[in-house]
């Protein structure tokens, strides 16, 4: 299993290179926990706008092999104005923000908190709400093509996405994890064929009978097919393909709990010079 990082911040991860994107209030920072190197990012132009209160509801991080560059993506809108979504990109190599022009994409948040993107095959994915068709979708942003598209959810899924997570499990399959039945269980739906709506399959149902906190959020899968996730406090939980709980282990003594992410150890550096800092909890 990849190493585990516990954090009190919102976190996103690029697993292939071992870099983690930290969301610290409204500030972003790139961090390699293996080396301790980190790079705080300048505020985006929209975040610096004093004339409007923009709400950032999507953020993500990934690698563009066509330019050998790491890209941070932010999506924001002004809730007091027309629901126009603004997308901004940060190029680590250029050390600069750029707004994606000419796009008026009809997406707003599908939950109360900013959603971290899920990276799969060079594409960042988010759950969002399309207000033009009044439907929840998965927004997909291709880092190389710099283009957006929708991935349709299964018609059998509950369209309430407040208690949902996107994950990549099972060796590279896009999965949606949804708490159902009065939040008494977690259902894990797998998209067997990418962007084919009919290929969504309910794969695993995890009952909360053996989880005191009545919460399970998957983080990764093992080579044997087991699922490792967290409860809403400080416990790692492992279940098998039948949804049966196999193990539970505390990962923190913080009573308020911590964010958790799996990452790949790496000694790689970012394309531009970055500062050094001690590794450990953030």
């Amino acid at each position: 299993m990849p190493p585990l990082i516990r954090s009190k911040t919102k976190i996103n991860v690029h697993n292939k290179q071992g870099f983690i994107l930290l969301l610290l209030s409204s500030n972003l920072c790139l961090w390699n926990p293996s080396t301790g190197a980190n790079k705080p990012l300048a505020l985006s132009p929209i975040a610096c706008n004093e004339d409007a209160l923009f709400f950032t509801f999507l953020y993500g991080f990934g690698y563009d092999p066509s330019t050998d560059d790491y890209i941070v993506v932010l999506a924001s809108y002004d809730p007091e104005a027309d629901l126009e979504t603004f997308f901004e990109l940060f190029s680590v190599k250029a050390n600069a923000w750029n707004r994606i022009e000419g796009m008026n994409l009809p997406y707003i948040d599908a939950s109360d908190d900013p959603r971290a993107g899920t990276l799969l095959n060079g594409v960042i994915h988010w759950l969002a709400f399309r207000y033009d068709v009044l439907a929840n979708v998965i927004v997909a942003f291709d880092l190389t093509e710099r283009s957006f598209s929708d991935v349709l959810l299964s018609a059998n899924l509950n369209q309430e996405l407040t208690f949902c997570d996107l994950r990549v499990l099972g060796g590279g399959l896009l999965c949606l994890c949804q708490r159902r039945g009065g939040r008494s269980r977690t259902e894990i739906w797998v998209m067997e064929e990418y962007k084919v709506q009919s290929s969504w399959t309910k794969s695993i149902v995890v009952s909360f009978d053996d989880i005191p906190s009545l919460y399970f959020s998957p983080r990764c899968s093992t080579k044997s097919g087991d699922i490792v996730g967290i409860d809403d406090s400080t416990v790692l939980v492992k279940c098998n393909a039948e949804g049966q709980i196999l193990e539970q282990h505390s990962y923190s003594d913080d009573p308020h709990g911590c964010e958790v992410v799996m990452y790949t150890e790496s000694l790689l550096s970012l394309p531009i010079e970055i500062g050094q800092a001690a590794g450990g909890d953030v």
Side-chain angles (χ1 to χ4, degrees), residues 110-126:
S111 68
D112 295 331
D113 297 318
R115 288 191 183 270
T118 298
L119 185 68
L120 175 63
N121 297 330
V123 180
I124 305 176
H125 302 80
W126 301 273

Side-chain angles (χ1 to χ4, degrees), residues 71-93:
I71 304 296
V72 175
V73 185
L74 292 184
S76 308
Y77 66 88
D78 181 357
E80 297 182 355
D82 293 335
L83 291 177
E84 180 181 1
T85 299
F86 299 93
F87 283 88
E88 297 173 285
L89 300 182
F90 181 85
S91 162
V92 173
K93 181 180 287 186

